[in-house]
Amino acid sequence: MSSVRAARPSASRPPSRTPRGARIPAARPSERHLSSVPRFLLWQAARQPASLGAGMLFGVVWMLCQAVWPYLLGRAVDEGVSGDSGRLWTWCGALLLVAVVQAITGMLRHRMAVSNWLRSSLGVARLIGYHSAETGPAITATTSSGEIVATVSTDSLRLGAMYEVTARLGGGVVAFVVVSVIMLSASVPLGLAVVIGVPAVAAVLALLLRPLRARQAVWREESGGLTTLGADTVVGLRVLRGIGGEQEFVERYATQSQRVRAAGVGVAKTQSWLDGLQVLLPGVFLVFIVWFGAHLAVDGTITPGQLTAFYGYATFLVLPLRTAVEAAQTFTAGVVSARRVLSVLRTRPAAQDADETAEAPAWGSAIEDLASGVVIPPGRFTAIVDASPDEAAAIATRIGRFDDAVHREAPVLWGGVDHTRVPVRDVRRRIVVNDANPHLFGGRLLDGLDTLPVRDEETGRRREDDTSTGRMRRVSAALDAAAATETVDALPEGVHERVAERGRTFSGGQRQRLSLARALLTDAEVLVLIEPTSAVDAHTESQIAERLREAREGRTTVVVTASPLLLDRMDTIAVVRKGRVVGTGTHQQLLRQEDDLGDLYRAIVSRTISAAEPAEGEDLDAAWTGSIDALWTATHPVTAQRPEGGRTAKKAKKKDKRKKGTGDAAADR
């Protein structure tokens, strides 16, 4: 057996293990949590109470340190004017102590703010990623891929920013209350001016938040459309070039880009007004406080030190005011993003656990598709053949249970139990479907192929070959069975090569073989392969046909194909027409069968000549041989006329094929 070439040792390569935090998050929002934005935000906050609480605590202390600065400074000025140097040094020492505490709590507050932002934004992004994988076709039917990408890359970050600003907002509110109490106790008129003036300024600024939210929603909608258009174009770039549609795309993209620009300009206009008023209004308010306080000091109502303190208070209150406005802007954008996130998370998977689930069937149970009549016996190779590949693929897909709505009309019994009652987790663990359109994920090829470590970690299963050496042997065997060893050996880093997005650097046949190896590595109880060799050449297909049997011997394997090379190695072949089984048998039996079933089967597989050679003396024109003359005669009532030398020439051709061998004969078709 060929071995997979490992990459050269590299100091920069991380060890082969599951990354920390790579597990599927256990906490999932319920329907109640997804019913509204506030409930979802509170659910997310409950997932990180320690960092949020610490951030609030440090934020309050940090703001209070700034709030008491004017008071301490005013007392120091009064003591300095009175000439009491001892008390002056006392107040200066207090100022120094507060400065140290402020520096420490400010650093810790910032650390907690960043932690809250990352925990929430990345947590939501992971949640969307896992939810998208679980819902599968259901989410792509209602939400475009570009919209999902924008939700992860933009909306999750904006949602996380709400938790980042929470600590500063909480500290600002507490500091405002403390400063208001201090100012009212020192001077009621001046204190009332501050207590009333600051909320009034905030209320004026809040008037711009509603139009800002509306324009941000428009911009978000247009931006998502642009992302979708770009993603769709990248996927279909070859098709665009083939039909000469580049110019049409450029025009569409330019039009959508201008719509995004116009929406962005609208947001910027409102934002510029808000930013300008954040400077103007607090400045006007500060001038008023200084003017009013100066008059009170001249009248002797307050001392010079109190005037200094009041000026410091008024200056300080600009900070919580701006924090409040910033928080309002952040929450405005965050609410818009949270709604987009909820629209994704509210999509329900097409396959869900029933209210009353049944235990998974015993290992090695038969599967029966009631709509078609296809029966999959345990531990055997079963092929599904249909003149319409889509019909056969639909039957195979139903075995994997991807849409419960389909099973209401076409139920599938697994061990006599309707497998929509079996927990989805058990179905995914024991039944694996390898689709006809292979998809390779970006990242290290080894991790993308061998998913057993992740599957075993979820189920708590321990394997004897759960070592790096055992893993490489397992991967090597699967690649050899899928005839993909040469593909991996050609990579500079071998199985450690980084796969490009969607595996675009591989050809269609290479992607198909790597996808087959990935399916074999799942070690599934039931493996369903849909057209596993449709993109490979004849020689490679013959290798796969031979090795697949060895790799899956004794385990249930279902193959949807019309390839005689694969069909010749099946235990049972179910021939389907118009969604119903019309007959079963082996490849040799169905080829030799002289009836409507045989005619149908030969018509489906007639693109090739059977790999089984006729015995000496048998009629080479018999229908079971799949010969073109026999097929023509069987499907046309007119007697075929052939020269006398036809049989002799065909016998000579048969001898030549025997000399070439199995591999060459398969390559000739």
Side-chain angles (χ1 to χ4, degrees):
M1 180 178 293
S2 302
S3 60
V4 179
R5 179 175 55 84
R8 293 183 296 273
S10 173
S12 61
R13 178 177 300 133
S16 175
R17 59 185 177 87
T18 304
R20 182 182 178 183
R23 297 185 181 133
I24 297 176
R28 299 294 183 93
S30 64
E31 294 290 342
R32 184 174 64 86
H33 296 137
L34 298 177
S35 61
S36 65
V37 171
R39 287 181 176 177
F40 178 71
L41 295 178
L42 289 175
W43 173 82
Q44 178 60 36
R47 298 179 65 193
Q48 49 190 87
S51 60
L52 279 175
M56 290 282 290
L57 176 63
F58 294 135
V60 168
V61 175
W62 176 67
M63 278 286 191
L64 287 178
C65 288
Q66 298 182 73
V68 300
W69 253 87
Y71 173 77
L72 298 176
L73 182 60
R75 294 300 302 268
V77 170
D78 285 340
E79 297 299 339
V81 173
S82 65
D84 190 344
S85 59
R87 297 180 66 85
L88 173 62
W89 282 109
T90 300
W91 291 110
C92 289
L95 281 170
L96 178 61
L97 177 62
V98 170
V100 173
V101 175
Q102 179 183 346
I104 295 175
T105 55
M107 176 187 66
L108 295 175
R109 177 204 62 79
H110 182 70
R111 287 176 64 91
M112 290 298 102
V114 174
S115 175
N116 288 325
W117 176 59
L118 291 177
R119 284 175 180 268
S120 54
S121 59
L122 297 182
V124 170
R126 287 183 61 215
L127 187 64
I128 294 173
Y130 284 115
H131 184 75
S132 301
E134 287 182 346
T135 52
I139 195 170
T140 55
T142 58
T143 309
S144 64
S145 58
E147 183 68 21
I148 298 174
V149 170
T151 302
V152 173
S153 62
T154 302
D155 292 327
S156 62
L157 299 180
R158 290 186 173 181
L159 190 148
M162 290 192 286
Y163 297 94
E164 183 272 335
V165 79
T166 301
R168 287 184 289 131
L169 177 62
V173 172
V174 173
F176 174 75
V177 173
V178 171
V179 168
S180 299
V181 172
I182 294 175
M183 295 183 71
L184 285 171
S185 62
S187 173
V188 175
L190 201 55
L192 287 175
V194 173
V195 172
I196 297 174
V198 172
V201 171
V204 173
L205 294 175
L207 295 176
L208 293 174
L209 294 180
R210 184 179 294 274
L212 178 63
R213 178 188 301 179
R215 294 186 177 185
Q216 284 178 336
V218 173
W219 175 84
R220 174 63 182 80
E221 186 76 26
E222 299 295 345
S223 180
L226 185 65
T227 304
T228 301
L229 182 60
D232 292 343
T233 304
V234 170
V235 174
L237 187 58
R238 291 184 179 180
V239 178
L240 277 176
R241 289 176 175 173
I243 63 177
E246 296 98 325
Q247 187 59 37
E248 176 67 20
F249 157 72
V250 170
E251 293 176 358
R252 290 175 56 194
Y253 193 88
T255 301
Q256 183 64 25
S257 180
Q258 289 303 310
R259 296 176 65 179
V260 174
R261 181 193 62 80
V265 170
V267 173
K269 287 181 179 179
T270 307
Q271 184 70 53
S272 63
W273 277 102
L274 187 59
D275 293 342
L277 289 176
Q278 282 189 77
V279 177
L280 177 62
L281 294 182
V284 172
F285 176 69
L286 182 60
V287 170
F288 169 76
I289 291 297
V290 173
W291 174 82
F292 187 41
H295 278 277
L296 293 177
V298 171
D299 294 340
T301 305
I302 60 176
T303 65
Q306 289 177 323
L307 175 60
T308 303
F310 273 103
Y311 174 78
Y313 292 141
T315 304
F316 161 75
L317 287 176
V318 173
L319 178 60
L321 177 61
R322 289 185 176 178
T323 301
V325 174
E326 178 189 353
Q329 295 181 67
T330 302
F331 274 85
T332 297
V335 167
V336 174
S337 296
R339 288 173 179 169
R340 308 296 272 182
V341 170
L342 289 180
S343 67
V344 173
L345 295 180
R346 284 170 180 162
T347 304
R348 295 293 89 197
Q352 302 183 67
D353 288 341
D355 295 334
E356 296 183 3
T357 59
E359 290 187 8
W363 197 272
S365 299
I367 300 175
E368 181 180 1
D369 182 71
L370 298 182
S372 65
V374 172
V375 177
I376 310 299
R380 296 174 64 82
F381 278 72
T382 304
I384 303 175
V385 175
D386 194 324
S388 172
D390 293 339
E391 291 286 345
I395 297 173
T397 303
R398 288 201 294 268
I399 296 174
R401 187 191 168 191
F402 295 104
D403 190 350
D404 288 345
V406 174
H407 292 278
R408 297 189 186 100
E409 299 179 357
V412 174
L413 299 182
W414 185 15
V417 178
D418 187 342
H419 81 339
T420 57
R421 296 183 55 206
V422 179
V424 175
R425 191 180 188 87
D426 291 334
V427 177
R428 296 288 176 266
R429 180 171 56 88
R430 297 173 58 181
I431 301 177
V432 172
V433 178
N434 187 49
D435 196 67
N437 301 314
H439 182 98
L440 297 180
F441 297 97
R444 194 170 63 152
L445 180 60
L446 177 61
D447 297 328
L449 293 178
D450 186 18
T451 60
L452 271 183
V454 178
R455 292 165 63 92
D456 291 345
E457 186 177 5
E458 294 174 7
T459 58
R461 180 180 178 182
R462 301 288 298 178
R463 295 177 178 271
E464 296 180 359
D465 60 351
D466 191 15
T467 62
S468 58
T469 303
R471 187 184 191 190
M472 292 305 300
R473 287 175 181 160
R474 188 170 65 242
V475 173
S476 175
L479 290 172
D480 185 71
T485 302
E486 293 182 0
T487 299
V488 175
D489 285 344
L491 301 175
E493 295 291 329
V495 291
H496 298 288
E497 183 77 10
R498 305 294 296 185
V499 178
E501 181 185 10
R502 299 176 181 268
R504 62 177 182 271
T505 56
F506 296 109
S507 66
Q510 290 173 330
R511 286 197 300 270
Q512 191 171 62
R513 282 177 280 162
L514 290 173
S515 177
L516 175 59
R518 178 177 59 191
L520 294 173
L521 281 167
T522 60
D523 195 26
E525 175 189 349
V526 179
L527 180 61
V528 181
L529 304 175
I530 301 177
E531 298 290 350
T533 59
S534 60
V536 301
D537 57 63
H539 176 69
T540 304
E541 187 175 26
S542 66
Q543 292 179 330
I544 294 175
E546 178 181 355
R547 299 170 185 175
L548 179 62
R549 181 83 194 197
E550 298 175 2
R552 293 286 302 175
E553 188 67 39
R555 283 173 290 180
T556 307
T557 307
V558 183
V559 183
V560 175
T561 183
S563 166
L565 286 171
L566 289 174
L567 295 172
D568 191 44
R569 289 168 172 80
M570 297 293 112
D571 296 317
T572 304
I573 300 173
V575 183
V576 180
R577 179 168 55 189
K578 296 181 179 180
R580 292 291 303 175
V581 174
V582 294
T584 60
T586 65
H587 179 62
Q588 301 301 325
Q589 291 172 347
L590 293 171
L591 280 180
R592 297 169 185 265
Q593 203 157 320
E594 297 283 355
D595 56 11
D596 292 341
L597 176 61
D599 292 342
L600 174 61
Y601 183 75
R602 287 188 293 273
I604 296 173
V605 302
S606 61
R607 64 183 179 90
T608 60
I609 296 178
S610 172
E613 295 289 350
E616 189 69 30
E618 287 189 325
D619 186 4
L620 296 180
D621 289 337
W624 71 268
T625 64
S627 70
I628 300 300
D629 286 346
L631 289 172
W632 179 267
T633 304
T635 56
H636 293 72
V638 180
T639 303
Q641 299 294 327
R642 276 193 331 213
E644 282 297 322
R647 185 180 303 273
T648 304
K650 191 172 289 294
K651 286 184 178 180
K653 186 175 182 181
K654 168 192 168 187
K655 292 180 180 180
D656 290 339
K657 285 183 178 180
R658 287 181 173 175
K659 292 179 181 179
K660 290 180 181 179
T662 305
D664 292 335
D668 285 341
R669 58 183 177 80

